[in-house]
Amino acid sequence: MSGERRTSELQRNIHGISQKVLIQQLRELEKDGLVRRYVYQQMPPKVEYSLTEYGVTANKIVEVMCSWGKENIKIRQQQGEDIVLLEDRSPGNFEDSLNKG
């Protein structure tokens, strides 16, 4: 992820996540120093999130995990298991949300 993202934008791009769960996760990531939260003093309220420098260091780990997961799913599909990836079912996905910039 590069740049700032509003909560609603993240929620649209993460299939099936509720606003409550998203905010809980963002707060945990903020507490852990991976995400920066910026609150604009305006009405209506506006909050944006961005990765910290420390958060950016996790990108390589996430990319490796995504690659492993996709390869694992291909193997399982070749063995006859019926698996459909979220990115195959919805226009926006978590990985795209993180990589938009």
Side-chain angles (χ1 to χ4, degrees):
M1 177 173 107
S2 59
E4 295 79 29
R5 300 285 181 266
R6 294 187 69 177
T7 309
S8 59
E9 181 181 0
L10 291 169
Q11 188 176 8
R12 277 193 306 273
N13 287 301
I14 302 172
H15 180 77
I17 194 165
S18 70
Q19 184 178 24
K20 178 184 176 187
V21 171
L22 176 59
I23 290 171
Q24 287 173 340
Q25 294 299 307
L26 288 167
R27 292 286 172 96
E28 284 187 38
L29 292 168
E30 180 185 14
K31 181 180 157 205
D32 293 337
L34 296 167
V35 169
R36 181 178 304 108
R37 180 176 183 259
Y38 185 78
V39 179
Y40 292 87
Q41 299 302 315
Q42 67 179 45
M43 288 306 282
K46 178 181 175 182
V47 178
E48 290 184 337
Y49 295 90
S50 61
L51 288 177
T52 62
E53 284 186 38
Y54 180 57
V56 170
T57 65
N59 278 344
K60 289 185 181 188
I61 296 167
V62 172
E63 289 170 7
V64 169
M65 289 173 55
C66 286
S67 294
W68 177 86
K70 288 177 182 180
E71 187 59 36
N72 182 271
I73 287 172
K74 284 180 189 175
I75 291 168
R76 292 168 61 186
Q77 286 173 327
Q78 289 170 352
Q79 295 172 343
E81 195 169 338
D82 185 26
I83 299 172
V84 178
L85 299 177
L86 289 177
E87 63 189 37
D88 293 340
R89 289 192 293 180
S90 76
N93 65 54
F94 183 69
E95 190 176 344
D96 287 344
S97 175
L98 293 179
N99 292 322
K100 284 182 182 174

